[in-house]
Structures are given as C-alpha cells and as structure tokens.
Amino acid sequence: MRTSKQFVKSGVLAALAAGTFMACQQPAKQGSTPAAATTTGNNTATVNQGFIIAYVDIDTVEANYNYFKEKKAELEKKQQAIDNELKANVRALQNEAADFQRKAQSMTQADGEAAQRLLYDKQQQLEGKAQNMRAQYAEQEGKFNDELQKRLNDFLQKFNSDKKYAYILSYRSGASNVLYKDEQYNITNEVIKGLNEADASEKK
C-alpha cells in the first residue's frame, strides 16, 4: 500500500506539475506592432510588446498556498488513520492464526477445518476492507485535485483578465520543459498572494 506521501506526490503534486495554465491568446490589434527592433550602436535588441509569457513556480506554490497545505495535511492524516486501522486488523488476524496453530493438534479434523475456513474468510474480508478504504481515499484525493485545479484556473483567469500575458506556464525545478526562465516574468508571489487572499475572503 502506498504511503500518504506517495499518494500526495503522485496525485496532488502531479496534478499541479501537469497543470499548464494558459490564457487565450489574443490576436494583435489592427495597427499595432507585435515586436519592434531598437538599435544601439552595433547591437540590435528586440522589444516584446504584444506576446509576454509568465510562469508560476509550482514548488513555491505548494510551500506557500495555505489551501494546498491544509488539504494536504488533512489527506495525510486520513491516510495515516487508514494505515493504522489496517495494521491493527492484520495484527489481530495474525494473532488468531497463531492461536489456531497452538491449538491445532488438540482439535478434531472437523474443528480444525472450520477454524481454517473462518481465518480464510476473515482474511478475505480484511482484503476487501483495505480495497474499499483505499478507493475512498483515492476518491477524496481526486476531488481535492479537481478543486485545486479549478481554484487555480479560476484565479488565473481573473488575474490575467487584462490579457497582459499570452501564456502562463508552470515551472518545477528538475521536472520542467522550461529550459530558461527570466525572473522578471516570475509571477509566483503575486499568484500565491492572490490565492490566499481569495481563500481568506471566502472564509469570512
């Protein structure tokens, strides 16, 4: 069974890492120039006037977005409770099996077979219980992923309502297709601040 950290890493964090937030690209207005070239001495620099790409550092969002941290802690707590309950059930079944082994020689064949069937049934029930609990957890995790994605998408639509950015990409250290990033287009802190303020307003 996967641990809570594995669940969160493969589920919630993967959803964040996979989420590339894109605002609709707007066509250039008539009469406007997308890019203008300026010349200084022998150097020519291109000034971007209509196509700006920003990025959000997902590691930083995970570390500072209060909603994510709270829900992640809740999921980890639930996963730990599942682990503890199942481990206790397994220990109880193991104790019953050990007790059967001690008493087996003094049992009649019919009693021994009945005890074995009972242990087998309990084992099957425990396996079914474990599957159900994992499925319930996965459902809760999925709902969290969906809600988190919706919150991010809704916020970024409002955040970029002025169409300042043509694209807003996600970035993660060591696991990103972004080969180069200019820090002046890092909008992570603005996004985190806005997300936390939006959540705080909802709670009031």
Side-chain angles (χ1 to χ4, degrees):
M1 181 171 62
R2 293 186 294 177
T3 63
S4 59
K5 290 184 179 179
Q6 289 172 319
F7 267 116
V8 172
K9 182 176 181 181
S10 64
V12 177
L13 306 192
L16 276 168
T20 299
F21 311 114
M22 295 192 299
C24 295
Q25 181 179 349
Q26 298 298 310
K29 296 180 179 178
Q30 293 183 351
S32 64
T33 304
T38 59
T39 303
T40 304
N42 294 325
N43 297 325
T44 300
T46 299
V47 179
N48 191 336
Q49 295 182 343
F51 191 87
I52 302 176
I53 299 176
Y55 71 91
V56 176
D57 189 316
I58 300 303
D59 293 323
T60 304
V61 172
E62 293 168 3
N64 296 280
Y65 181 24
N66 294 332
Y67 174 83
F68 176 84
K69 293 191 293 182
E70 291 169 4
K71 294 300 180 181
K72 177 185 175 183
E74 290 178 11
L75 285 172
E76 289 179 338
K77 185 176 180 180
K78 289 177 181 178
Q79 180 61 38
Q80 188 60 55
I82 291 172
D83 289 343
N84 292 340
E85 183 173 347
L86 292 178
K87 286 177 182 177
N89 293 157
V90 169
R91 285 195 298 269
L93 187 58
Q94 289 174 336
N95 290 337
E96 286 190 44
D99 187 57
F100 166 72
Q101 291 293 333
R102 288 192 297 269
K103 298 177 179 178
Q105 292 183 348
S106 62
M107 289 182 176
T108 65
Q109 182 176 350
D111 288 341
E113 291 175 352
Q116 285 182 322
R117 285 195 298 271
L118 180 61
L119 285 172
Y120 177 78
D121 289 343
K122 288 185 176 182
Q123 180 181 352
Q124 293 297 108
Q125 291 171 5
L126 181 55
E127 289 176 358
K129 177 181 180 179
Q131 290 178 354
N132 289 335
M133 294 179 78
R134 293 190 192 110
Q136 290 174 4
Y137 179 89
E139 182 179 358
Q140 292 175 332
E141 185 190 35
K143 288 180 179 178
F144 168 51
N145 291 340
D146 293 342
E147 176 62 21
L148 179 62
Q149 190 70 60
K150 184 177 185 303
R151 284 171 178 261
L152 290 168
N153 290 343
D154 290 348
F155 174 77
L156 287 173
Q157 284 184 0
K158 295 177 181 178
F159 178 83
N160 199 45
S161 60
D162 58 358
K163 306 301 180 184
K164 178 179 180 180
Y165 303 110
Y167 292 95
I168 300 177
L169 307 179
S170 64
Y171 172 82
R172 182 187 293 280
S173 178
S176 175
N177 292 326
V178 178
L179 300 179
Y180 172 79
K181 55 188 178 66
D182 190 329
E183 287 295 332
Q184 70 173 312
Y185 300 116
N186 182 356
I187 61 172
T188 307
N189 291 335
E190 296 173 73
V191 170
I192 293 171
K193 182 175 182 292
L195 285 168
N196 285 333
E197 288 177 349
D199 290 343
S201 298
E202 287 182 6
K203 293 178 180 178
K204 290 182 179 180

